[in-house]
Amino acid sequence: MKKIKVFDVREDEQVALQQWIERHADEVEVILTEDSLEGVHLEQLEDIDGVTLSQMTPINPEYFKALAQNGIYHIAQRSAGFDMYDLPAANEAGIKISNVPSYSPQSIAEFAVTRTLALVRHTNRIDRNVAVQDFTWDLSVQGRTIESLKIGVLGTGRIGSRAAKIFNGFGAQVYAYDLEPNPELEGILTYVDSLEDLVKDIDVLTLHIPGSPENKHVVNEAVLSQAKPGLLVINTARGVVLDTEALIRKLDDGTVAGAAIDTYENEGPFFKYDWTNKPLEDSVLSHLLEHENVLISPHVAFYTDEAVQNLVDIPLDDVLSYIHNQTADHIVNP
């Protein structure tokens, strides 16, 4: 019987994993481990036919050669992002990488809107005041309505299009920039010709583009400098698309009034881990955490029951497909 090894198993994946295992009990054995793929594991794969990972930190390119030597030519990543893989090195070793391009776009879109609401209604500050029994009103908690805002959506794929529809449902004016405009969004939003045109007259910029090399720091100081003072920035995409240090400078000079950061470009060592009472040793992240007008969440925009189910089922289906047919539906380096 073929064997699949599942690395980085989280508690929240257990139910979905057991359901998948039961459905395929007659054709494959599944081995679960909470460990991430490290060098020591490469010596334990002789009888393994496929693997799936959920690592957020870079994968050592030398691992590809070791996997190939064990007859494993496919890795199923349990996330949409795959920037932790050196794809040229994977290609050189003959390793195919697959991802989960869409596991719950609605979850992420709703979270982006939720964080926008939190910023415009100052709910974080209100909660802090009430926690110390300060029930006063002042300008610091006076908010705005979503319908009064101009929303800028960068990227109108599966997630961005849904966010645009939700904001439109609130009555906001929605604008967007995308290299490939979606004709189905006519009447929902208005496309502009450049990112600079998008930011110059909006109140909220919400990011929904992939973390590809060409998108690294696409939202940078030059772009943010085009905004009118008071811009809110929402990033539920990949951390790398936003130049975090530039964002901090624009927060400090008042161009950006607030930000909600669910992904951080150097999040690997921190997000998903408990750093209580430990020094972060990351001055940029520390600065963000200390900033009164920044909301940080640890890459949880996707984190719903529906998303976890899909993040288990789709990669395991791909692993099984590759074992049987040497191909899978979601390979990113064909």
Side-chain angles (χ1 to χ4, degrees):
M1 183 176 287
K2 300 295 185 180
K3 294 183 180 180
I4 297 173
K5 190 160 187 177
V6 182
F7 289 90
D8 310 297
V9 173
R10 303 189 309 266
E11 180 181 3
D12 57 78
E13 295 178 309
Q14 289 286 354
V15 172
L17 282 166
Q18 293 304 323
Q19 291 173 346
W20 193 95
I21 290 169
E22 290 174 9
R23 291 197 302 271
H24 298 86
D26 294 336
E27 56 182 323
V28 66
E29 178 183 347
V30 180
I31 301 168
L32 308 179
T33 177
E34 296 178 4
D35 294 344
S36 294
L37 179 64
E38 300 290 350
V40 64
H41 301 114
L42 299 175
E43 302 172 1
Q44 305 168 5
L45 298 176
E46 290 184 4
D47 61 342
I48 300 298
D49 301 286
V51 297
T52 171
L53 316 182
S54 186
Q55 290 181 230
M56 302 306 295
T57 53
I59 307 296
N60 187 335
E62 292 298 317
Y63 293 177
F64 300 142
K65 298 176 183 177
L67 288 169
Q69 288 170 359
N70 282 282
I72 299 172
Y73 295 97
H74 169 236
I75 300 173
Q77 172 68 21
R78 299 198 304 283
S79 70
F82 51 89
D83 48 319
M84 62 288 296
Y85 295 95
D86 183 334
L87 294 186
N91 285 333
E92 185 176 347
I95 300 293
K96 300 301 183 183
I97 310 296
S98 65
N99 73 335
V100 188
S102 179
Y103 40 87
S104 183
Q106 186 70 18
S107 300
I108 299 172
E110 289 180 3
F111 194 84
V113 176
T114 298
R115 296 307 253 182
T116 302
L117 281 163
L119 286 173
V120 299
R121 294 306 305 269
H122 309 296
T123 56
N124 199 40
R125 184 175 291 118
I126 292 169
D127 290 342
R128 288 200 304 267
N129 289 351
V130 171
V132 295
Q133 301 179 42
D134 179 356
F135 306 119
T136 60
W137 299 359
D138 60 38
L139 291 176
S140 69
V141 298
Q142 182 174 310
R144 291 176 287 173
T145 61
I146 294 291
E147 70 174 1
S148 71
L149 303 177
K150 294 180 179 180
I151 308 294
V153 181
L154 176 57
T156 52
R158 297 181 182 92
I159 301 168
S161 61
R162 289 171 182 255
K165 291 175 182 178
I166 298 171
F167 280 118
N168 175 262
F170 273 97
Q173 298 179 56
V174 185
Y175 300 87
Y177 173 65
D178 196 305
L179 293 174
E180 298 182 10
N182 184 349
E184 295 181 4
L185 295 176
E186 185 176 352
I188 301 295
L189 55 77
T190 301
Y191 280 105
V192 299
D193 295 330
S194 69
L195 177 53
E196 289 74 17
D197 286 341
L198 183 66
V199 301
K200 66 183 181 182
D201 193 36
I202 55 174
D203 301 295
V204 178
L205 175 64
T206 181
L207 311 183
H208 302 288
I209 55 176
S212 55
E214 58 268 27
N215 284 339
K216 181 177 181 180
H217 289 179
V218 68
V219 179
N220 51 38
E221 188 154 10
V223 168
L224 293 174
S225 295
Q226 302 295 315
K228 65 180 183 181
L231 179 69
L232 302 176
V233 177
I234 315 294
N235 188 13
T236 56
R238 301 294 290 181
V240 71
V241 305
L242 175 64
D243 183 339
T244 314
E245 294 189 26
L247 173 69
I248 289 173
R249 288 192 291 271
K250 288 302 163 185
L251 282 161
D252 291 342
D253 74 15
T255 302
V256 176
I261 305 299
D262 185 60
T263 58
Y264 168 55
E265 55 188 315
N266 300 311
E267 70 184 49
F270 305 106
F271 287 8
K272 295 202 303 182
Y273 301 103
D274 186 353
W275 280 78
T276 304
N277 298 323
K278 301 175 185 176
L280 285 181
E281 299 178 351
D282 183 317
S283 59
V284 176
L285 181 57
S286 295
H287 194 148
L288 286 173
L289 289 167
E290 293 166 359
H291 210 292
E292 186 177 13
N293 297 324
V294 175
L295 305 179
I296 301 289
S297 52
H299 208 141
V300 293
F302 77 95
Y303 200 39
T304 59
D305 295 346
E306 296 82 358
V308 172
Q309 185 78 49
N310 289 330
L311 282 165
V312 167
D313 289 350
I314 293 172
L316 281 169
D317 288 346
D318 276 354
V319 174
L320 196 57
S321 173
Y322 203 91
I323 288 173
H324 290 319
N325 306 308
Q326 288 71 58
T327 188
D329 289 338
H330 306 101
I331 291 173
V332 300
N333 58 330

